[in-house]
């Protein structure tokens, strides 16, 4: 069937698991069998029969009749079915409701389902009732569904082919569906394209025959170069998550429609330089280093998510210069780190790690020597950020006297006492706990001379960053008795994955607790991070919102409504905003809202306009001098 490229486009859409998220007869079964003694068995059998029919392994009519016989359905069940289906329309179909209202003559529903429930659902989207072709139910005098109209062409195999042939549509016919009967239309030459629709269900036997895989209706409109609800389909946003980011994050991002690849380990610079090509969003924890070289190789990178507190593993300045915002989870694992610090203080004060080792070797070493309560002891906290401050509160509640030192002026919580110098704190503290970040200037922050300033018999904790402590100096302090207990959760060099070996100068030392960077590794913390960071990334991708970004100008934007949003990132130079507005004026774009914020490096301008413009406006915006990145949302 020869079709010219410039002819009219027709969209022929299946109903079950395509227009809606579900198989309608499965939902009808849940309603009609709600009080039936064989409910669960029958529902499962209905689903099995549906799958056999969709995969082409059972004749269509046989599948439909078998399900009707199992349903125990009645006309009285239809209003509730219609109500439920109306709430279960596929997300991208619902998102593009304007498209259906604007193209009623070009849109058809052809389904092996039943008109009785399909017509009321799809006509709410502007689809014409006489453009709906489906089976008819047969009822007895009591309203029971007893059969289907066997004269309806859609009740037999190949029925969709015959139905489309009867329509005699002249133009490009795009068949959209999730089942084998949808592919048959393409196979018979009655459609120019078959889109295997995978937003709700993926059937491998169907996908392998598709001209295109469509994870959403947005993808179809994008592929056909037609305007949709989104500037581009979300499945075209490629995300790479490293270091076993919590599965909730994967689920959340996939549910949003993004294409996500997860990798269990960290990557070195060369590996990441290769892997980053074509990636729009990078997610990682603390091991992988995102250097300036990596960012230069990132040809499509839009955002970086650090699924942890710190961002020192990321060259945030290089990211800023490239127009890439970085998001982290500054508070999500605070409690977990603090609880580990408290646990290690108590354990080290009691010498529990050594006593535990002795017991496992059959040695009974009951003694009170070098075993103390933490109540009344002086805790010195170096770094009074969110973790240090919360540790201060909990430690005080346990009866400790708290002292803290921070380069930045911080308000004391509770009865904590601020020290003016680190020397003052070290001369007082019975327990010293580090909670500083891993910025380069903090490398080897804590040296031999600092250990020498301490009281004899101190407890030392580093749950901050590995490079901030001179490990050899700590080892000397432990062996000399200056430090009688140490808890270390972070190391200058850490394995990329659990499969790689670990070595440290601290291994085998007395009353020394070594943990594999697990300060924030609790289910609660990882779930909080898996919720917080994806929300920030999605918010930026979907709306341009940069609230809580660690390197970008922070702008909290109103929801995008009845407008199109232009996002312009540029070098902070005088006159750029004027050039942006002059360009918009050339295209007669009516500005309904505009937001601007700058820092020393970049300017971030968000402009909402009241109608859509073509590629020429985008090209003009990108040509403005000092532009770093530009994108349009609608």
């Amino acid at each position: 069937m020869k079709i010219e490229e410039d002819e009219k486009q027709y969209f022929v859409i299946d109903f079950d698991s395509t227009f809606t998220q579900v198989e309608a007869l499965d939902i009808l079964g849940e309603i009609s069998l709600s009080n039936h003694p064989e409910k669960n068995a029958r529902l499962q059998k209905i689903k099995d029969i549906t799958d056999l029919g969709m995969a082409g392994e059972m004749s269509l009519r046989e599948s439909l009749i078998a399900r009707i016989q199992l349903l125990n359905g009645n006309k009285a069940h239809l209003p509730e079915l219609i109500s439920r289906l109306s709430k279960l329309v596929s997300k991208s179909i619902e998102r593009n409701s304007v498209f259906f209202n604007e193209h009623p003559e070009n849109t058809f529903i052809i389904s092996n389902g039943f008109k009785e429930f399909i017509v009321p659902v799809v006509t709410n989207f502007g689809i014409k009732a006489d453009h709906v072709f489906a089976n008819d139910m047969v009822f007895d005098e009591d309203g029971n569904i007893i059969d289907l109209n066997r004269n309806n062409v859609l009740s037999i195999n190949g029925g969709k082919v015959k139905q489309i042939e009867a329509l005699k549509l002249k133009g490009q016919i795009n068949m959209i569906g999730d089942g084998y009967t949808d592919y048959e239309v393409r196979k018979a030459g009655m459609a120019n394209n078959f889109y295997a629709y995978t937003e709700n269900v993926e059937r491998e036997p169907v996908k392998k025959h598709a001209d295109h895989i469509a994870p959403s209706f947005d993808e179809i409109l994008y592929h056909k170069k037609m305007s949709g609800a989104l500037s581009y389909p979300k499945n075209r946003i490629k995300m790479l998550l490293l270091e076993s980011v919590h599965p909730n994050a994967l689920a959340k991002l996939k549910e949003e429609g993004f294409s996500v690849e997860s990798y269990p380990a960290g990557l070195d610079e060369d590996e990441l330089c290769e892997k980053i090509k074509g990636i729009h969003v990078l997610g990682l924890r603390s091991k992988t280093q995102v250097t300036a070289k990596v960012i230069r190789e990132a040809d499509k990178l839009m955002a970086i998510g650090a699924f942890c507190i710190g961002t020192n593993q990321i060259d945030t300045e290089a990211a800023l210069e490239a127009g890439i915002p970085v998001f982290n989870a500054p508070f999500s694992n605070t409690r977990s780190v603090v609880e580990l610090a408290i646990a290690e203080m108590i354990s080290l004060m009691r010498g529990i790690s050594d006593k535990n080792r002795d017991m496992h070797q059959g040695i009974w070493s009951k003694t009170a020597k070098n075993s103390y309560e933490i109540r009344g002891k002086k805790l010195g906290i170096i770094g009074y950020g969110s973790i240090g401050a919360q540790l201060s509160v909990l430690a005080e509640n346990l009866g400790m006297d708290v002292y803290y030192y921070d380069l930045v002026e911080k308000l004391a919580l509770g009865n904590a006492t601020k020290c003016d110098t680190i020397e003052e704190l070290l001369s007082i503290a019975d327990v010293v706990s580090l909670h500083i970040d891993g910025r380069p200037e903090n490398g080897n922050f804590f040296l031999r001379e600092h250990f020498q300033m301490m009281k004899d018999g101190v407890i030392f904790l580093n749950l901050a960053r590995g490079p901030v402590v001179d490990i050899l100096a700590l080892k000397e302090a432990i062996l000399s008795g200056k430090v009688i207990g140490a808890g270390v959760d972070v190391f200058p060099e850490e394995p990329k994955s659990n499969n790689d070996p670990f070595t440290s100068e601290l291994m085998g030392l007395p009353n020394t607790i070594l943990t594999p960077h697990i300060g924030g590794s609790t289910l609660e913390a990882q779930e909080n991070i898996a919720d917080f960071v994806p929300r920030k990334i999605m918010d930026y991708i979907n709306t341009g919102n940069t609230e809580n970004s660690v390197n970008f100008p922070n702008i909290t934007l109103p929801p995008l409504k009845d407008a199109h949003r232009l996002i312009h990132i540029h070098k902070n130079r005088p006159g750029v905003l004027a050039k942006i507005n002059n360009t918009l004026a050339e295209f007669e774009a009516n500005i309904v809202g505009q937001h601007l914020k700058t820092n020393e490096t970049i300017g971030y301008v968000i402009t909402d306009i009241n109608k859509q413009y073509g590629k020429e406006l985008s090209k003009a915006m990108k040509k403005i001098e000092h532009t770093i990145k530009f994108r349009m949302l609608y």
Side-chain angles (χ1 to χ4, degrees):
M1 179 170 77
K2 186 177 180 182
I3 303 290
E4 298 299 328
E5 287 294 327
D6 59 352
E7 289 184 359
K8 189 178 291 186
Q9 296 282 344
Y10 289 100
F11 295 86
V12 180
I13 307 171
D14 183 32
F15 183 77
D16 293 287
S17 297
T18 299
F19 197 92
T20 59
Q21 302 172 36
V22 293
E23 294 289 320
L25 293 186
D26 292 350
I27 303 300
L28 178 56
E30 291 176 8
I31 298 167
S32 63
L33 298 170
S34 60
N35 297 315
H36 197 284
E38 298 176 359
K39 174 186 174 183
N40 293 334
R42 288 200 179 198
L43 288 176
Q44 185 57 54
K45 197 165 184 178
I46 289 169
K47 289 178 181 177
D48 293 341
I49 292 170
T50 299
D51 289 338
L52 288 172
M54 290 299 100
E57 297 176 21
M58 186 176 189
S59 77
L60 176 63
R61 179 170 288 181
E62 184 184 3
S63 166
L64 287 170
I65 292 173
R67 283 181 281 172
I68 286 173
Q69 291 173 346
L70 289 165
L71 278 169
N72 199 36
N74 187 279
K75 188 180 290 187
H77 296 134
L78 295 180
E80 184 178 347
L81 173 62
I82 293 164
S83 175
R84 288 199 197 182
L85 292 175
S86 297
K87 296 172 184 175
L88 291 169
V89 172
S90 295
K91 290 182 179 179
S92 68
I93 295 285
E94 194 164 35
R95 186 162 56 235
N96 286 283
S97 58
V98 171
F99 173 85
F100 300 109
N101 279 287
E102 290 179 349
H103 299 88
E105 297 299 328
N106 305 73
T107 307
F108 292 81
I109 301 294
I110 297 184
S111 170
N112 298 121
F114 293 87
K115 289 180 184 176
E116 283 80 4
F117 53 75
I118 294 176
V119 171
V121 174
V122 302
T123 50
N124 286 332
F125 288 77
I127 295 172
K128 299 169 71 174
D130 60 2
H131 277 211
V132 178
F133 297 89
N135 279 298
D136 312 282
M137 289 178 173
V138 174
F139 305 93
D140 66 14
E141 58 185 14
D142 295 320
N144 295 311
I145 305 168
I146 57 172
D147 203 350
L148 50 78
N149 176 7
R150 302 195 183 199
N151 294 322
N152 190 321
V153 71
L154 287 165
S155 70
I156 60 172
N157 279 19
K160 289 187 178 181
V161 175
K162 293 182 179 355
Q163 183 63 71
I164 292 179
E165 187 176 21
L167 291 174
K168 298 181 180 179
L169 302 175
K170 294 181 179 180
Q172 285 271 343
I173 298 175
N174 302 289
M175 188 69 213
I176 303 161
D178 67 292
Y180 192 82
T181 58
D182 304 304
Y183 159 65
E184 286 178 334
V185 175
R186 176 73 169 99
K187 184 180 178 182
M190 297 308 300
N192 302 84
N193 294 293
F194 169 51
Y195 290 92
Y197 199 80
T198 62
E199 181 172 350
N200 307 304
V201 63
E202 295 191 29
R203 307 184 198 277
E204 292 303 326
V206 177
K207 285 170 61 178
K208 71 180 182 181
H209 294 300
D211 295 299
H212 309 281
I213 306 297
S216 66
F217 197 72
D218 306 291
E219 173 67 24
I220 296 167
L221 296 180
Y222 186 83
H223 184 257
K224 301 303 294 184
K225 296 181 171 59
M226 300 182 77
S227 296
L230 301 176
S231 343
Y232 42 79
K234 292 182 182 180
N235 61 278
R236 290 185 177 248
I237 300 292
K238 295 182 179 179
M239 298 189 171
L240 175 63
L241 302 183
L242 304 177
E243 305 178 49
S244 295
V245 166
H246 196 281
N248 283 8
L250 270 72
K252 190 177 292 290
L253 293 165
K254 285 182 177 180
E255 184 180 347
E256 184 69 13
F258 298 125
S259 176
V260 186
E261 178 185 358
S262 179
Y263 194 74
L267 298 176
D268 64 28
E269 186 179 58
D270 290 338
E271 290 171 329
L272 188 53
C273 282
E274 185 61 33
K275 199 78 173 172
I276 200 73
K277 292 180 174 66
I279 296 297
H280 298 93
V281 177
L282 175 65
L284 66 154
R285 295 174 73 182
S286 56
K287 294 176 185 175
T288 302
Q289 301 295 306
V290 184
T291 63
K293 179 181 176 182
V294 170
I295 289 168
R296 285 195 299 272
E297 294 295 322
D299 53 345
K300 293 185 178 180
L301 196 61
M302 298 168 66
I304 299 173
F307 286 74
C308 53
I309 290 179
T311 56
N312 302 108
Q313 71 277 35
I314 303 166
D315 190 330
T316 53
E317 188 60 34
L320 176 65
E321 291 173 0
I324 302 167
V326 176
F327 300 93
N328 67 335
F331 312 112
S332 297
N333 66 0
T334 301
R335 178 70 183 204
S336 296
V337 177
V338 169
E339 287 190 4
L340 181 62
I342 294 288
E344 292 197 352
M345 278 184 220
I346 295 172
S347 180
L348 293 166
M349 278 285 191
R350 300 292 297 272
I352 289 173
S353 61
D354 285 357
K355 290 180 174 65
N356 177 65
R357 182 198 61 217
D358 288 347
M359 291 292 285
H360 280 282
Q361 295 175 356
I363 301 170
W364 185 270
S365 52
K366 181 177 179 179
T367 176
K369 184 180 179 182
N370 289 331
S371 186
Y372 309 94
E373 294 181 351
I374 64 169
R375 181 179 55 175
K377 302 300 183 294
K378 296 179 175 61
L379 169 62
I381 300 172
I382 300 174
Y384 206 64
S386 58
I387 293 176
Q390 191 170 146
L391 176 60
S392 169
V393 172
L394 291 187
E396 186 177 328
N397 286 335
L398 289 170
M400 301 187 80
D401 298 323
V402 179
Y403 298 82
Y404 70 92
Y405 169 76
D406 199 297
L407 291 174
V408 179
E409 189 67 32
K410 295 288 180 69
L411 179 67
L413 298 179
N415 294 316
T417 301
K418 179 180 180 297
C419 293
D420 294 325
T421 65
I422 192 170
E423 291 83 1
E424 179 188 355
L425 181 142
L426 294 176
S427 68
I428 295 170
D430 301 306
V431 180
V432 174
S433 191
L434 291 186
H435 298 286
I436 64 176
D437 62 41
R439 69 188 69 179
E441 52 267 37
N442 281 343
N444 279 332
F445 172 88
F446 209 88
L447 302 170
R448 181 174 284 104
E449 54 262 37
H450 294 107
F451 287 107
Q452 292 170 351
M453 294 175 193
M454 293 177 173
K455 296 161 60 174
D456 290 338
V458 74
I459 299 294
F460 179 79
L461 301 179
N462 180 18
L463 278 66
R465 289 289 183 268
V468 304
V469 175
D470 182 336
I471 291 292
L472 289 177
L474 173 57
K475 180 179 180 179
E476 290 175 10
I478 294 170
L479 293 175
S480 70
K482 171 69 73 170
V483 171
I484 63 166
V488 181
D489 186 50
V490 289
F491 303 87
E493 294 183 5
E494 298 180 356
K496 289 182 185 178
S497 74
N498 290 345
N499 296 323
D500 297 319
F502 166 74
T503 60
S504 173
E505 293 286 341
L506 303 177
M507 294 168 67
L509 295 180
N511 203 27
T512 299
I513 299 174
L514 306 182
T515 49
H517 205 145
I518 58 168
S521 295
T522 62
L523 290 177
E524 293 89 348
Q526 293 308 306
E527 286 174 0
N528 289 339
I529 292 170
D531 177 65
F532 186 85
V533 177
R535 277 195 288 112
K536 293 301 173 185
I537 291 171
M538 291 186 295
D539 208 15
Y540 175 68
I541 297 296
N542 293 338
T543 71
N545 200 325
T546 55
E547 182 185 16
N548 294 123
S549 171
V550 300
N551 65 333
F552 240 60
N554 275 212
I555 296 182
T556 302
L557 297 166
L560 182 60
K561 187 176 181 181
D562 300 326
H564 303 284
R565 181 162 288 172
L566 312 181
I567 296 175
H568 193 278
I569 305 167
H570 56 270
K571 295 177 183 177
N572 188 1
R573 301 288 189 273
V576 177
L577 180 61
K579 292 175 183 176
I580 290 172
N581 288 336
N582 287 338
T583 301
L584 293 173
E586 289 175 16
F587 283 83
E588 299 182 346
N590 182 37
I591 298 174
V592 296
Q594 193 167 55
H595 308 266
L596 165 66
K597 203 164 187 180
T598 63
N599 60 21
E600 293 181 356
T601 306
I602 69 162
Y604 188 45
V605 178
I606 295 91
T607 306
D608 292 347
I609 57 178
N610 67 349
K611 66 177 180 177
Q612 182 181 336
Y613 289 81
K615 294 181 179 179
E616 295 306 314
L617 174 60
S618 293
K619 289 178 182 177
M621 295 291 281
K622 290 174 182 177
K623 287 180 180 178
I624 293 173
E625 189 179 9
H626 306 304
T627 297
I628 299 172
K629 288 183 185 293
F630 172 80
R631 63 189 177 107
M632 183 183 294
L633 299 175
Y634 52 84

